[in-house]
Amino acid sequence: MVGARTQKTERGPGRPRQERVTDDTLEAVIELVTEQGVRAVTMDAVAARAGVSKPAIYRRWPSKQALIIAAAESRIGPLSVPDLGDIRAELREVLTARLAAYRMPGTARLLAELMASAAEADAARGDYVDYTDRLMAETRRILQRGIARGEVRPDIDIRTAATLVAAPPLYRLLAERELPSDRFVEDMVDMVVRAVGHRPV
């Protein structure tokens, strides 16, 4: 894949301690969720799995919800797609990057458990909204660039169109329990471009 980048650090023995604590903690959360579900994620369990202290975890994440969101974001985080001059190419970058994350072991359960946790955590709803806002930000920028280039109708609701890009792959993965394919990505790009593009006169 050309251009799309995610905010993910490399794991390795030569990492600074602070980075290692963060990475190992988030990986421990993903492992616990994948193996046992979100209810298995306690600060004690995460600390034991990661080999770090509970105070080190609390210094970074004040709550279980914040920790789960951070773990999800380490797997499925914000993207950066350069201006390729073509909305089709840019949307393909976004969807292909998401597909690569969905293919990683445990991602489907991680997402399902994250959504369940979000539904139960009324007080922390803002944290989940902020996370999804970060996830969608690059797609919104792509659509805005498409408007500026004349590829996208200026009357399009950017938020709705960005949801149209993000939601179908998740539904295929979680509701239909099928990994979205490369063909799915191509079909999605075609459908989205037809939906947001200028209608024939």
Side-chain angles (χ1 to χ4, degrees):
M1 180 179 61
V2 178
R5 298 182 298 276
T6 58
Q7 296 178 349
K8 186 172 180 64
T9 56
E10 295 295 329
R11 296 168 63 86
R15 293 170 295 148
R17 173 171 170 75
Q18 295 301 316
E19 181 182 311
R20 179 176 58 78
V21 169
T22 297
D23 290 352
D24 290 352
T25 300
L26 297 180
E27 188 63 29
V29 174
I30 292 172
E31 291 172 359
L32 286 167
V33 171
T34 300
E35 295 168 7
Q36 305 173 49
V38 73
R39 296 188 185 282
V41 178
T42 65
M43 294 303 189
D44 285 328
V46 172
R49 176 70 65 102
V52 302
S53 68
K54 284 175 61 177
I57 297 175
Y58 276 113
R59 280 196 296 270
R60 291 162 176 79
W61 304 282
S63 67
K64 173 180 174 177
Q65 285 76 24
L67 184 56
I68 293 170
I69 291 170
E73 193 158 7
S74 73
R75 174 70 61 90
I76 307 167
L79 297 172
S80 176
V81 177
D83 187 342
L84 301 175
D86 175 21
I87 192 171
R88 285 180 177 273
E90 292 171 9
L91 289 175
R92 190 177 295 113
E93 289 285 301
V94 170
L95 289 167
T96 302
R98 294 304 182 211
L99 181 58
Y102 295 163
R103 284 175 171 159
M104 297 176 69
T107 295
R109 183 163 190 183
L110 176 63
L111 288 171
E113 294 281 349
L114 176 69
M115 291 179 181
S117 180
E120 295 176 1
D122 292 338
R125 181 177 182 275
D127 293 335
Y128 291 97
V129 172
D130 289 346
Y131 169 52
T132 57
D133 187 65
R134 292 191 296 274
L135 287 184
M136 305 284 276
E138 189 65 10
T139 302
R140 291 196 299 269
R141 280 191 287 269
I142 287 170
L143 291 163
Q144 288 163 349
R145 288 201 298 255
I147 292 174
R149 289 194 298 253
E151 297 172 304
V152 176
R153 300 196 312 275
D155 63 323
I156 286 294
D157 183 275
I158 295 293
R159 182 183 176 193
T160 301
T163 300
L164 179 63
V165 175
L170 280 174
Y171 190 86
R172 174 64 59 89
L173 180 70
L174 300 181
E176 298 180 351
R177 302 183 66 81
E178 181 181 339
L179 186 67
S181 64
D182 293 337
R183 173 61 185 272
F184 181 90
V185 168
E186 293 302 323
D187 287 345
M188 278 298 308
V189 170
D190 286 341
M191 292 176 188
V192 171
V193 170
R194 285 202 301 271
V196 304
H198 292 276
R199 299 188 179 98
V201 179

